[in-house]
């Protein structure tokens, strides 16, 4: 096992935002928090470096770490997924979810206004390169809300579509693979949902791997249709 030196910078192997459940890995996580914190003193950092090597070895013996990091970037038996970044993430990486939700709210309002004008000028089926063209034909009765919520381990930004023009609007009935009927969004509503999902994702990032219950995002949430009417 190699030990990090001044010439070989140490690479972090735990997520600073996710505290491991296993005791041995929790110790690794705590020590890495010290080592990678900008305000940790040189003496304490050096002690943490020495202790971390022993903690990693203990975690390996417990079976919580297997193997070593290879040239392809796999570390200790697991390869972290690549992180996807929204096209406007850099603008908000230091902002709170409340501030990001406000931006999304304003973006939806503006996009809806602009796309409606484009639709009136060129036809509602105009293809728009940014993927927001479906908002041109979005019924005026529909309202869209953007809410944020904080919880242990992160937070979410949720976009909800309210006040459909009439009961059942935007849905068609189809049969699933087991022959059972179900209601699904039609092409018009799917286009609206996708356009709102695009705006919702502008400020997010995602480096999750659900197969191992590893979640690493800027915020959770998504777009959904709510059948209720909202004043």
């Amino acid at each position: 096992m190699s030990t990090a030196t001044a010439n070989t910078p140490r690479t972090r192997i735990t997520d600073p935002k996710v505290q491991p459940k296993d005791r041995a890995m929790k110790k690794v996580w705590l020590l890495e928090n010290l080592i990678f914190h900008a305000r940790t003193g040189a003496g304490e950092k050096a002690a943490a470096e020495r202790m971390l090597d022993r903690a990693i070895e203990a975690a390996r013996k417990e079976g919580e770490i297997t193997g070593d990091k290879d040239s392809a970037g796999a570390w200790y038996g697991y390869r972290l997924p690549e992180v996807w970044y929204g096209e406007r993430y850099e603008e908000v990486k230091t902002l709170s979810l409340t501030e990001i939700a406000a931006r999304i709210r304003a973006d939806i309002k503006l996009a809806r206004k602009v796309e409606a004008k484009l639709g009136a000028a060129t036809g509602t089926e105009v293809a728009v390169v940014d993927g927001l063209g479906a908002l041109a034909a979005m019924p005026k009765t529909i309202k869209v809300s953007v809410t944020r919520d904080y919880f242990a381990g992160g937070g979410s930004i949720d976009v909800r579509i309210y006040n459909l023009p009439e009961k059942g609007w935007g849905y068609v009935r189809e049969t699933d693979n087991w022959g059972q009927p179900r209601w699904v969004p039609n092409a018009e509503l799917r286009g609206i949902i996708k356009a709102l999902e695009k705006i919702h994702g502008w400020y997010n990032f995602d480096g999750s791997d659900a197969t191992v219950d590893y979640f690493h995002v800027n915020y959770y949430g998504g777009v959904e249709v709510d059948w209720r009417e909202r004043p």
Side-chain angles (χ1 to χ4, degrees):
M1 175 178 176
S2 60
T3 301
T5 67
N7 296 323
T8 308
R10 186 185 292 278
T11 299
R12 180 159 195 156
I13 66 172
T14 62
D15 186 333
K17 296 182 179 180
V18 181
Q19 179 175 309
K21 296 180 180 179
D22 297 312
R23 181 180 176 84
M25 284 305 295
K26 183 177 180 180
K27 187 173 183 179
V28 171
W29 178 77
L30 290 170
L31 290 168
E32 287 192 327
N33 284 351
L34 277 175
I35 292 168
F36 288 92
H37 196 289
R39 295 183 181 179
T40 301
E44 187 176 24
K45 182 177 180 180
E49 287 272 9
R50 295 190 296 271
M51 189 179 295
L52 178 58
D53 290 324
R54 295 194 296 271
I56 290 175
E57 185 62 29
R60 179 182 285 110
K61 289 179 179 178
E62 291 291 328
E64 295 170 19
I65 292 178
T66 58
D68 273 310
K69 187 172 181 180
D70 60 25
S71 59
W75 56 271
Y76 303 111
Y78 175 68
R79 185 186 303 279
L80 283 172
E82 293 185 4
V83 180
W84 166 88
Y85 292 93
E87 56 191 81
R88 298 178 66 179
Y89 168 71
E90 287 295 320
E91 300 174 18
V92 301
K93 60 183 181 181
T94 61
L95 300 185
S96 68
L97 291 190
T98 299
E99 293 170 305
I100 296 174
R103 284 201 175 206
I104 292 175
R105 197 175 295 116
D107 288 340
I108 292 173
K109 183 178 181 180
L110 179 61
R112 192 172 179 181
K113 180 179 180 179
V114 170
E115 296 304 326
K117 288 185 177 181
L118 284 174
T122 59
T124 57
E125 295 184 0
V126 61
V128 182
V129 293
D130 61 8
L132 304 180
L135 299 182
M138 189 171 176
K140 293 182 179 180
T141 60
I142 288 180
K143 291 189 176 182
V144 179
S145 75
V146 180
T147 58
R148 66 104 182 96
D149 185 31
Y150 289 102
F151 46 81
S156 68
I157 296 178
D158 298 291
V159 177
R160 291 186 175 86
I161 302 171
Y162 291 94
N163 294 8
L164 300 183
E166 58 187 48
K167 187 175 182 179
W169 180 91
Y171 282 85
V172 292
R173 190 175 183 179
E174 67 173 28
T175 302
D176 63 21
N177 295 333
W178 293 272
Q180 299 299 314
R182 63 174 182 173
W183 291 93
V184 298
N186 64 10
E188 183 176 2
L189 184 54
R190 284 200 308 272
I192 292 171
I193 293 172
K194 286 183 178 180
L196 295 176
E197 286 176 339
K198 183 176 180 64
I199 296 175
H200 180 269
W202 276 348
Y203 306 107
N204 208 354
F205 68 76
D206 190 356
S208 305
D209 185 349
T211 62
V212 292
D213 290 331
Y214 174 79
F215 299 99
H216 181 47
V217 297
N218 196 22
Y219 50 85
Y220 296 91
V223 178
E224 63 179 34
V225 178
D226 195 312
W227 290 90
R228 297 171 296 175
E229 290 188 1
R230 181 170 179 166

